[in-house]
Structure formats: structure tokens, C-alpha cells
Amino acid sequence: MGGGTLTGGPAANGFSRWLARVETGLVALSTLAMAAIMCIVVVDVLMRYAFAAPLAWSYDLIGLYLVSAVFFLALPDTMHHHGHIALDVFAPMMPAKLRHTLQSLGYGVSSALIAAITWLEFQQAETAFLADQRIASVIPWPTWIAHAVLTVGMAVLFLRCGYRAVFHLASAITGRDLVEVPPPPITEDNTAWRAE
Amino acid sequence: MTVTIALLVLVAMLVAGLPVALAMGVSGAVGLYLFGGWPILQGILKTTALSTANGYEIITIPMFILMAEFVIISGVANDLFRAATIWVGRVRGGVAMATVLAGAGFGAISGSSTAAAATLASTSIPAMLKEGYEPKLACGVVAISGTLAMLIPPSIALILYGIIADIPIGQLLMGGVLPGLLVTATIMLTIVFLVWRDPDAAPAGRSYGFAEKFASLKRVWPVVLLFTAVTGTIYSGIATPTEASGIGAFAAMLIAAWERQLTLTKAWRAMRSAAQTTCMILFIILGAHIFGYFFTLTRVTNDMTAWVEGLEMSRWMILVVILLGYLVLGFFMDQIAILILTVPVTLPLILQLQFDPVWFGVLIVVTAEVGMVTPPLGMNVFVVARYTRRPLGELFSGVIPHVWAHLIAIAILAAFPAITLWLPSTMR
């Protein structure tokens, strides 16, 4: 196989670089949501025990919006950095062309599944927005925001998976690595390790 | 035929190195499409994605992981590990045993098995490799020690089981204490055996005086503080487990700041890492949900239960079959998904056989622990691999002796229910 191996670090091309910037922006929002959950929970407990006045809105805000934001907005960034666990036992043993072809197929059908989820969620977000659907609670939070957060995260994940399907196929055809692949595991001779 | 096709798709995608979550989601979706066409698949896809992350209780996952990230920044885990090393590091394999004790200690301040494995991987593996430990032994010990967090309170798995089975969570948590200690001892005895068989795998460490030993305990106070912030608030009823996880993350952040280790860059890295790890777990749960719906609609789970019920054998043999089923499911499915999918089916059977539900809950959680370290979906091994970048084959082979030892521990817990039930019986 010719060409160097592109790992999860530098982007393989301009599109991947542009996508990575979008993904970093989304994961920043995800971490903000995580920090918000932590702070709201602490304030809620403090208010309940110190002032007997718990936050009436915390349960719904966290359950409806913030957990979704933490999860779905971090999805594409995690995919970009190969953070989603995968079996790396068999793939390295395969010839490069076969591996790229199988991964192109796999990411292709995955893209179709993610596209279906994205489209269905977009429809639900649109319906909920137009009908002004809200939860039945002390504060009637609108439900379209949760669907919209999911739609955005899944849409960018679709782009990342679609990109991988296309560029794994290109790699299989050209015989060169044109897409980022997971960093190789270290060997017996190299005990350097890296914590992320 | 449909089940066969779906399983083939699952295996093909896993072998090709696709993310496990995508493999489960796609194979489940293919199976659902073949089973009921687009209407069925559409109905499930519409609800599954959002329901995976739509709930207050799920915050225990990001919060406990975030707590672990802040603990890593603070260096508290290093101190816990260092203190354990000072106390038991002198003997051959002592650093590995210290890892187990640190794992048990970390389990007492975290309910997340993967977070425990991640923390131990980042602290103890470099130390063991530096001491000249065989990497296989070092990584195997870390992966198996991470599972202690699933048993020692607060345990997310036991809490989840309590919610599903409608059993008092306090009793379940107390029921996990002695089995947790038994499993800790089992792992340590396995290390003793491995080192006895191959002394080159683990060197002896240096010895410490009593002054150094007691001085090392002074650095363990943050662990006591975190233990109080998490388990203490749950036991006392001050906070629910979900609230306690948020408090724990906040307390860990304060400890990191107190230790002057918390910078903006480190905080950003910790939170991004916590978000990515949370995302990785929830994505698998999402995939497992889609796959689980397929299993449920095609009645694979029900057929299995009916088959077990129809067997003419003693209730103990049926229990063995059920535990074997959990063992096999653990090879392929996420532990949380297994609990969600199977407990509603197996618990009535267990109650019908007049077994104790608290004891059964602890048993299946210990059995599910095995799945955390066995291929192809051993989550803890993946986490250790992610942190250390070592080959998965090496890690899995390092954990195999512990798997056999674990099976013996499960047999002891099954044969002597009192080990699990004595402590809950003393509760008022």
C-alpha cells in the first residue's frame, strides 16, 4: 500500500478540516451543557437543603435538553477522533484494499441509517415547532428544541460517516490512504503510552 | 432466517472494524426492516434516538465520568494508588495488588466501571510498566479491577437493576459490599497465582517503614471526601444517586482546584474527554436499543426464556443456565442493555423458582462484569486499549486468568447466598 497512514490527528483534506471545525464547535456546546448539568444539580441540592426551595425547572431542563446536548452534539467529534469503540483485531490483518472497501460499505449503510434518523427527527422538530408542542410541567418547555439538537448532531455525524464512505472507497480504488484511520496500537517494543 | 441475516451483518461490520454502536444499530435496523418493513423500522427509529438521552437518571453517566476526569487531573487517584503501593508494593506483584486496592477504592467513589478502568489505566499502567511488569499482566489487572466499581457502592448497574426490578436500592447497594470484597480478594489471589507461576511477569517492589506508610494515608483524604460526597449522600438520603453524581463531579473539580491542578486547558480537555466517553457509551446504548427491539420483536428473548422454563431440571440447574445466558449475552451486548432487556423476563422466572431477587441482582451484575472484559465487546478492555494504545489481543489474553477466577467467585456467590444477603438483613 502506498502513501502514508493518516491518523485521527490532522485532517486528510479541506472538507475534513471544515467538518472538524464544525464538530469542535458542537462539542464545545456539549461540554457547556455538561458543566451546566453539574452546576444546576449542585445548586438544586443546596437550594433544597439550605433554603427548602429546590429549582422547579431543573429536572425537565436537564432531562429534556441538556443530556441530549451532551450526547448528540459530541457524536460527530467523537467519531472524528475515533472515540467510538471498534474491534481492531481483524481489520489490521486485512489487505488494505479489502479493508477500505468493507469500511466504505459499512460507513455507507451507517450513513443511510443516520440519514433516516436525521430526517425523521427533523420532521418531528418541524411538527413540534409548528404545533408549539410543549411538555406538561411547571414550565412548559417546548419539545422542538430537543429534536433540533438531535437533528443537528446526527446531521453532522451523517456528513462525517458519508465522508468516510466516499474516501474509504477512493482509498480502495487508488491504493492510497485518503482518509483518517485510527492510530495504530503500540507494540511490545514500544511501551510509550498516551492518555487522551 | 431474519435473525441469521441480522447476526451476519453484525459480525461483518464488527470484523471490518466499524464502531460497535454502528454495527449494532445497522444490524438491528436491517433485521427490523426484514421483519416488519419500513413502518416498523420508522416507528422505532423515531423514538429510540431521543429516548436514549432523554431522561434525568442518565446524567449519572456523564457526571461520574466527569468526576473521574477531575480526579485524574487532581492527582488523587495517583495518591490512592501510591498509598496502596506503599502498603502492599513490597511483595512480588505488589504494584498490581495495589492497583486492585486502588480499583476497589475508586469503586467506592465511582459507580462507573469504564471510568474506573480509565482512571486506573492512566495511573497504574505507566507505574507497572516502569517497574518492569509484563504489559499483558498490567493491562489485564487494570481491566478486571475496573469492574469492581460495578459492584462496590455506588454501582450504576445495581441501581439500574433496582429500578427495573422495583427492589429497594439501599438493600441492593449493601448486598454488593461483601461480594465486592470477595471479588477484590479473588483478583489479588489470581495475581499471586500468576506471579508464582511466572516470577518474571512482576518484580518485587521496595519496602517502606511505618512512618512512610502512615504518612501516605494523609494524601487519601480527598478520596474520603469524595466517598462522603457520593456514597454518604446516597446512604443518608440527602441526595438521589443522580444528584450525588453531580455533587461528586463538583467536589472532584474543587479538589482539583485545591490541588492547584485545574487550569482552563485541563478543564476543557477533561470535559471534552468526558463528553466523548459519555457519547461513546450512549451511542452503544442507542445501537443496543435498536438491536434489542429487533430481538424483542422477533421473540428471541422470549423463546429463550420459554425454552429454559420447559427444561425438566432442578431450579439450581435453571439458574446455571440463566447465568450462562448472561455470560454469553455479555460477550455481545452492552451490560446496561442486557439488564434493560432481560431483567423483565428473567426476574419473574427467578421469583417463581423462589430465589431471592437481591441475591439474583448481585449475581447477574457479577456475571455481567465478565462481559466487560471478554471479547468481542469487553468495554473495559476497549477503554484500557484507548488509553494505552496497546493491541487488543494482548489485553484480552492478559485478562483471561481473571475471567476463570471470576467464574469461581460467581460459583461461590451462587452457592452461598448468605455472602450477599447477610449485610442487607442487618439493615433496619
Side-chain angles (χ1 to χ4, degrees), chain A residues 20 23-24 27-39 41-42 44-45 48-49 58-60 62-65 67-68 70-72 74-91 94 99 102-107 109-110 113-114 116-117 120-121 123-124 143 146-147 150 154 157 161 164 182-196, chain B residues 12-23 25-26 29 38 41-43 45-47 49-59 62-63 66 69-70 121-123 125-126 129 135 237-240 242-247 249-250 253 268-284 286 290 376-377 379 382-383 385-394 396:
Chain A
E23 289 162 343
T24 304
V27 81
L29 293 175
S30 167
T31 58
L32 282 178
M34 186 180 283
I37 290 174
M38 183 180 73
C39 295
V41 167
V42 172
D44 190 26
V45 173
R48 181 184 308 154
Y49 288 99
S58 67
Y59 191 93
D60 293 326
I62 291 172
L64 189 63
Y65 300 145
V67 182
S68 296
V70 169
F71 176 29
F72 294 109
L75 259 178
D77 185 63
T78 310
M79 181 66 76
H80 177 219
H81 290 92
H82 301 281
H84 292 297
I85 57 169
L87 287 184
D88 62 357
V89 179
F90 304 106
M94 294 178 191
R99 190 179 71 239
L102 287 176
Q103 296 217 336
S104 174
L105 278 171
Y107 280 113
V109 289
S110 299
L113 174 67
I114 293 161
I117 294 173
L120 291 169
E121 282 301 326
Q123 286 181 321
Q124 290 187 87
T143 58
H147 291 293
L150 196 161
M154 281 289 178
L157 181 67
C161 287
R164 285 201 180 160
I186 65 170
T187 61
E188 294 279 352
D189 303 326
N190 174 17
T191 52
W193 62 281
R194 185 163 72 92
E196 290 182 344
Chain B
M13 290 186 72
L14 288 176
V15 168
L18 273 296
V20 173
L22 287 179
V26 168
W38 175 243
L41 178 59
Q42 183 187 17
L45 293 184
K46 257 186 175 177
T47 54
L50 196 58
S51 68
T52 301
N54 198 336
Y56 187 71
E57 292 74 19
I58 207 100
I59 69 169
M63 290 299 103
L66 185 60
E69 291 287 345
F70 284 135
S122 62
T123 54
I125 288 180
L129 294 181
I238 291 173
T240 63
T242 45
E243 291 169 338
S245 66
I247 294 169
F250 191 74
M253 186 184 73
W268 157 247
R269 279 188 193 153
M271 298 193 76
R272 187 176 188 174
S273 179
Q276 288 183 342
T277 310
T278 302
C279 185
M280 177 259 281
I281 294 169
L282 289 185
F283 202 30
I284 290 175
L286 170 55
I290 297 174
L377 303 181
M379 179 84 88
F382 289 127
V383 169
R386 183 170 171 235
Y387 272 77
T388 61
R389 301 291 185 210
R390 297 203 70 87
L392 272 175
E394 177 188 276
F396 277 125

Side-chain angles (χ1 to χ4, degrees), chain B residues 224-309:
Chain B
V224 177
L225 181 71
L226 269 181
F227 181 76
T228 310
V230 177
T231 308
T233 54
I234 294 172
Y235 281 151
S236 60
I238 291 173
T240 63
T242 45
E243 291 169 338
S245 66
I247 294 169
F250 191 74
M253 186 184 73
L254 292 182
I255 289 169
W258 174 264
E259 298 285 334
R260 298 177 188 277
Q261 297 295 325
L262 191 67
T263 61
L264 269 180
T265 309
K266 282 183 179 175
W268 157 247
R269 279 188 193 153
M271 298 193 76
R272 187 176 188 174
S273 179
Q276 288 183 342
T277 310
T278 302
C279 185
M280 177 259 281
I281 294 169
L282 289 185
F283 202 30
I284 290 175
I285 294 175
L286 170 55
H289 276 166
I290 297 174
F291 195 77
Y293 275 120
F294 166 64
F295 255 36
T296 306
L297 286 176
T298 50
R299 299 183 62 80
V300 172
T301 321
N302 289 21
D303 288 349
M304 278 170 67
T305 311
W307 175 72
V308 172
E309 260 183 325

Side-chain angles (χ1 to χ4, degrees), chain B residues 60-84:
Chain B
T60 49
I61 296 172
M63 290 299 103
F64 276 132
I65 292 170
L66 185 60
M67 184 174 98
E69 291 287 345
F70 284 135
V71 164
I72 292 168
I73 289 178
S74 70
V76 166
N78 289 329
D79 292 332
L80 186 66
F81 172 65
R82 201 170 295 126

